Amino acid sequence: MKSTDRPGRGRQRAVALLLALPLVATAACSSSGSESSSGSGGGSTAAASSCKPASGKVTLQFWTWVPGMQQVVDKWNAANPDIQVQVKETPAGNAGTYQNMFNALKANTAPDLGQVEYDSLASFRLQKGLKDISGCAGVNDAKAQFPDWTWSQVQMGGPGVYAIPQDIGPMALFYRKDIFDKAGLKPPATWDEYAKDAQVLKARGVYITHFPQQDANWFDGLLWQSGAKIFDISGSSVKVSLDGSDSTKVADYWQKLIDNKLVATNLQGFSPDLYKAWDTGKVATWVSAAWGYSTIRDNAKSSAGKWAVAPMPQWQAGDNAAGNWGGSTTAVFGQSQHPAEAAKFALWLNTNPEALTLENSLGGLYPAAKAGADLPALTKGVPFYGGQKVFDVFKQASSQVDTNFQWGPVMTDTNRFLSDGFTKALNGQGTLGEALKSAQTQTVSSLKSQGISAG
Amino acid sequence: MTATNTAAQQLTAGPEPTTPRTRRRNRTWLAFVLPFLVPFTLFYVVPIVYAIWQSLFKTQRTGGLFGESHQVFAGLEQYANVLGDDTFRQGVLRVLLFGVVQVPAMLLLALLIALVLDSAVARLRRFFRIAFFVPYGIPGVIAALMWAFLYSPQLSPVVDLLNKVGTAPDFLGANLILWSIANVVTWTYTGYNMLIIFSALQALPQEVYEAARVDGAGALRTAWSIKIPMVRPALVLTAVFSIIGTLQLFTEPVVFQAISTNVTSGYTPNMQAYAVAAANNYPFSAALSVMLALATFILSFGFLRLTQRRAAA
């Protein structure tokens, strides 16, 4: 019985559990007492936090998961010997990086700058993670350079500015033009038409799209388009209306498609299975963001030349509303000793044409800055899409994104609750309407567990 | 049986009379244990105690939505939340159902293979011992990815073949996915458990077999009446390991989440604790982890006590 000292399955799993415990442990440093709010704009900041440049050489840390960011930063470092930026390439935010950032914030070892998606900004602000950089040189003046809706996202319903928009994901409809042509269909202008097209395609053995269980933020984008206001964080208490009439309209619509077996329910978003289904023409459309052009291009290679992009279907004929899915900001974290320099770098990174060009070509970003839409790469036809100038569609969509949409402060949880509800709907054990309702109740209790009054 | 007897003798023998020399020897013993004890305390005991500590608090906020947060003592409130949490209850029931089916099936298979190998020719023995053990050497994530590919309705050659023959089961569907996961776990750990049982078989004294042969017992009778009772301790050990592992199921369902639409965020209690921590709700996550550890402790020790009582009877 000498083999007992080999770590067994149980012990290995115990390690997995214990891996979660240090995460808990790292939260130690500041759990007792209140955290120092070093100018991280909690509540109402009467005056914008002061933002003085340091004298002498400054080194900034920057965490990001944009491919090729190092090359962009090299350009900055060459031109700014006094403000050197060190890049740390991380996995995507929800793949563990946000958790690392939160832990680093607790342990006072957070970087100066980090990539944070729009829907996570409020969560970071809630944990005292963001600096209000509205007092830093050039920040307020930059407002005009970005679409209004992105600026309202980084302001979160108040006077402060908590990040600089980096890229966006205005939504449109990717569709297999060859399949549509063969079926005698035009790209649908309304959601009603989309549902009718779904029936035509189903008769030909093709699903119009897949309903992803994990991509709750995709569904959020559809809610955004419908005019739903799922959160209101302008007051001192959070108003949650996930199951409002607009959201319910969207949920009921997709539930009907699921009930009638017109959408694929067993294809997870971004899975090899889905890519195969795109390639083989089993799934004919994807309502997705600007950055989705590379997702299809890189993963469904054999369908090259067969895709096209059209504006998102509308709820009412003649409407012009688009949703947004994803996109990130460059945020200055609350503990940064050099907010002035960090803001300066963040502005350059997201407005300088050279930087934007590199980020687009290396990282596939669709820039938030208005000037970015005129980059040569974003005004040309794209070979994979039969030479269509697909970015014209997204440029237009970006101008149609609702400015008043707000994210809640516990989006990680909200999206998790939605995804869990989607599972039931896709299994036939529930409906998407019920998913909204349960996400509503669970989000309210999640907010309460963070000490926030909500309703 | 013999082990418990010797332990009992030692207990009744009483302490040795202490002399200065033995006391010095006691201190030397400490020097040898310290290199283990320090990291064990730091990285094992402290985090557990800290998790328990964390689970006794809750977050409160003053000054509106983005105001100051404080941790205030909440007693056992988080534990009440855990017990009242539907997701947790369903998760625990799910892993229990998984364990009740998967653990006996896996151990039976491991025992069978061990018995077959034990009576096989030596050369075959060496080859198969390695062959069955190989899956355990493959990292869990890799194994899960590989199986996910084999289960996938669009990509799997196996599903493709089954479709051609007649109809393929939906391995990643709502009804089957738990058993698809069970299959991966069985594939990974059967060889490992088999090796433990096999080693125990190898250690059995040859005289017993000779006596059995003289009494006219065949191979099957020997296996049933001698080998299996003699490797009982090994079976108990592997069962305890497997119970612990089952309750902490994490890797396989997480990997399957990327390909199946049927794995929720709280599919297993461990996944739920992870997801809750990711949303910065540390007190609740700590309470979940402590409850899970407690359940594991109770189940594995309960099983040990049960088997010991049976052995004594």
Side-chain angles (χ1 to χ4, degrees):
Chain A
M1 290 282 311
K2 281 281 179 289
S3 55
T4 51
D5 52 10
R6 298 288 299 264
R9 167 183 160 196
R11 207 90 66 78
Q12 222 174 34
R13 291 288 164 67
V15 169
L17 178 67
L18 285 168
L19 277 178
L21 290 178
L23 290 179
V24 178
T26 41
C29 317
S30 60
S31 60
S32 56
S34 64
E35 298 162 30
S36 65
S37 62
S38 50
S40 58
S44 59
T45 38
S49 51
S50 68
C51 190
K52 284 196 187 67
S55 53
K57 194 180 162 193
V58 168
T59 305
L60 303 171
Q61 308 282 340
F62 175 34
W63 290 7
T64 176
W65 56 90
V66 176
M69 190 56 97
Q70 183 63 55
Q71 291 184 46
V72 185
V73 171
D74 286 345
K75 291 213 176 305
W76 164 270
N77 285 342
N80 296 276
D82 281 348
I83 307 175
Q84 290 293 293
V85 178
Q86 295 176 343
V87 176
K88 181 178 156 193
E89 298 209 348
T90 65
N94 284 313
T97 295
Y98 289 153
Q99 211 162 349
N100 284 345
M101 286 173 175
F102 283 126
N103 290 337
L105 282 162
K106 295 262 186 204
N108 270 319
T109 56
D112 298 274
L113 298 128
Q115 179 177 352
V116 177
E117 285 152 294
Y118 295 98
D119 59 358
S120 299
L121 281 171
S123 310
F124 274 91
R125 190 178 160 196
L126 190 71
Q127 307 293 336
K128 289 271 175 278
L130 302 180
K131 254 214 170 36
D132 176 4
I133 51 173
S134 57
C136 301
V139 171
N140 281 329
D141 302 340
K143 180 180 176 174
Q145 299 192 49
F146 295 98
D148 289 345
W149 70 266
T150 60
W151 205 257
S152 69
Q153 293 269 315
V154 297
Q155 286 204 295
M156 288 179 269
V161 176
Y162 293 93
I164 303 294
Q166 173 190 283
D167 67 308
I168 50 178
M171 292 168 86
L173 177 73
F174 292 88
Y175 68 103
R176 281 284 298 264
K177 196 168 182 311
D178 60 326
I179 295 175
F180 269 62
D181 286 349
K182 225 178 274 169
L185 299 172
K186 285 191 174 54
T190 64
W191 285 112
D192 277 345
E193 278 177 44
Y194 188 78
K196 287 198 186 84
D197 293 352
Q199 277 172 325
V200 175
L201 291 170
K202 187 67 203 291
R204 301 169 145 262
V206 176
Y207 286 115
I208 193 157
T209 191
H210 69 292
F211 193 99
Q213 177 260 341
Q214 281 286 307
D215 304 338
N217 42 13
W218 164 80
F219 196 76
D220 295 336
L222 298 178
L223 297 180
W224 195 336
Q225 185 215 16
S226 76
K229 304 282 182 286
I230 52 178
F231 287 97
D232 182 356
I233 57 170
S234 309
S236 61
S237 104
V238 179
K239 198 167 175 311
V240 191
S241 347
L242 279 162
D243 54 356
S245 60
D246 285 322
S247 322
T248 307
K249 172 181 71 182
V250 180
D252 291 349
Y253 172 86
W254 286 94
Q255 184 59 45
K256 213 158 149 188
L257 292 181
I258 292 171
D259 288 343
N260 296 327
K261 304 207 168 12
L262 298 173
V263 290
T265 53
N266 64 345
L267 294 175
Q268 186 63 281
F270 304 94
S271 66
D273 276 66
L274 173 65
Y275 302 148
K276 179 86 188 282
W278 283 344
D279 255 341
T280 53
K282 290 250 190 313
V283 171
T285 77
W286 189 31
V287 181
S288 182
W291 45 259
Y293 89 98
S294 61
T295 308
I296 302 178
R297 183 193 61 192
D298 301 342
N299 296 298
K301 288 196 172 80
S302 49
S303 59
K306 297 174 180 169
W307 291 85
V309 181
M312 222 172 153
Q314 298 295 317
W315 286 104
Q316 295 286 334
D319 278 3
N320 291 310
N324 178 78
W325 177 15
S328 300
T329 65
T330 309
V332 180
F333 285 129
Q335 294 151 1
S336 173
Q337 298 299 309
H338 306 292
E341 289 76 9
K344 191 177 172 185
F345 167 74
L347 283 169
W348 174 88
L349 189 70
N350 299 312
T351 57
N352 178 286
E354 202 182 1
L356 294 177
T357 308
L358 268 178
E359 284 157 35
N360 171 260
S361 63
L362 299 171
L365 296 187
Y366 186 79
K370 289 177 190 168
D374 303 318
L375 293 176
L378 297 177
T379 45
K380 290 202 289 256
V382 183
F384 185 89
Y385 296 89
Q388 186 192 351
K389 293 180 176 172
V390 294
F391 293 108
D392 290 356
V393 184
F394 293 111
K395 185 180 175 179
Q396 195 189 7
S398 176
S399 68
Q400 301 168 345
V401 175
D402 185 359
T403 311
N404 297 320
F405 186 86
Q406 292 185 330
W407 294 109
V410 289
M411 266 340 272
T412 310
D413 262 352
T414 302
N415 282 335
R416 179 162 68 91
F417 301 144
L418 280 171
S419 288
D420 289 351
F422 292 169
T423 304
K424 287 203 177 96
L426 295 173
N427 281 340
Q429 297 164 343
T431 66
L432 293 174
E434 285 162 12
L436 286 177
K437 279 198 176 62
S438 84
Q440 167 82 21
T441 16
Q442 292 185 88
T443 299
V444 169
S445 65
S446 171
L447 285 163
K448 289 197 170 131
S449 74
Q450 294 287 346
I452 301 165
S453 61
Chain B
M1 279 151 35
T2 49
T4 47
N5 282 345
T6 49
Q9 277 161 14
Q10 275 174 356
L11 280 177
T12 48
E16 284 176 57
T18 51
T19 61
R21 195 194 289 171
T22 54
R23 234 174 288 143
R24 229 190 348 266
R25 210 168 40 207
N26 283 350
R27 277 198 292 275
T28 335
W29 158 89
L30 201 66
F32 278 104
V33 168
L34 221 53
F36 156 77
L37 213 59
V38 171
F40 176 77
T41 311
L42 273 180
F43 300 111
Y44 201 90
V45 178
V46 171
I48 290 175
V49 171
Y50 185 69
I52 296 170
W53 176 249
Q54 276 241 297
S55 67
L56 302 176
F57 286 82
K58 67 175 177 188
T59 308
Q60 281 192 346
R61 217 166 273 274
T62 48
L65 169 54
F66 295 114
E68 294 295 332
S69 68
H70 318 271
Q71 299 286 316
V72 292
F73 189 78
L76 296 177
E77 195 180 310
Q78 299 292 358
Y79 289 92
N81 291 342
V82 171
L83 290 174
D85 190 84
D86 274 345
T87 312
F88 181 72
R89 270 203 300 263
Q90 285 163 7
V92 169
L93 285 175
R94 192 176 285 116
V95 289
L96 284 180
L97 172 69
F98 178 99
V100 163
V101 176
Q102 190 265 339
V103 173
M106 171 180 67
L107 293 184
L108 196 68
L109 193 63
L111 177 66
L112 277 176
I113 299 173
L115 287 171
V116 168
L117 282 191
D118 190 50
S119 50
V121 191
R123 217 164 342 135
L124 283 180
R125 219 183 262 176
R126 228 171 330 197
F127 168 75
F128 280 107
R129 210 169 44 194
I130 298 291
F132 282 116
F133 189 72
V134 161
Y136 181 72
I138 295 171
V141 175
I142 310 274
L145 279 170
M146 191 181 75
W147 278 99
F149 167 75
L150 289 174
Y151 289 142
S152 141
Q154 301 277 336
L155 308 165
S156 165
V158 179
V159 174
D160 204 37
L161 199 71
L162 286 170
N163 272 326
K164 285 199 176 85
V165 173
T167 174
D170 184 4
F171 289 114
L172 300 173
N175 303 324
L176 268 188
I177 184 149
L178 188 65
W179 308 118
S180 298
I181 293 171
N183 179 47
V184 180
V185 173
T186 307
W187 176 85
T188 306
Y189 292 102
T190 300
Y192 167 81
N193 290 313
M194 177 274 291
L195 212 62
I196 293 179
I197 300 167
F198 180 72
S199 318
L201 281 172
Q202 294 283 292
L204 295 184
Q206 291 298 315
E207 298 87 350
V208 188
Y209 294 152
E210 278 161 27
R213 257 198 303 275
V214 169
D215 288 346
L220 281 178
R221 182 64 207 257
T222 312
W224 180 251
S225 305
I226 296 173
K227 290 184 182 177
I228 295 181
M230 297 276 270
V231 295
R232 231 186 109 91
L235 280 171
V236 170
L237 177 87
T238 50
V240 169
F241 274 172
S242 305
I243 290 171
I244 294 170
T246 300
L247 282 172
Q248 297 178 356
L249 196 62
F250 183 81
T251 312
E252 293 82 3
V254 166
V255 171
F256 279 22
Q257 215 170 18
I259 197 161
S260 164
T261 53
N262 291 303
V263 183
T264 53
S265 66
Y267 197 74
T268 71
N270 221 354
M271 284 174 74
Q272 190 189 4
Y274 178 77
V276 170
N280 283 312
N281 193 348
Y282 285 111
F284 186 56
S285 183
L288 279 168
S289 309
V290 172
M291 287 290 281
L292 183 61
L294 213 62
T296 312
F297 188 82
I298 290 169
L299 269 175
S300 38
F301 272 82
F303 180 80
L304 270 177
R305 290 294 299 273
L306 189 82
T307 48
Q308 274 167 357
R309 201 170 317 144
R310 291 266 312 274

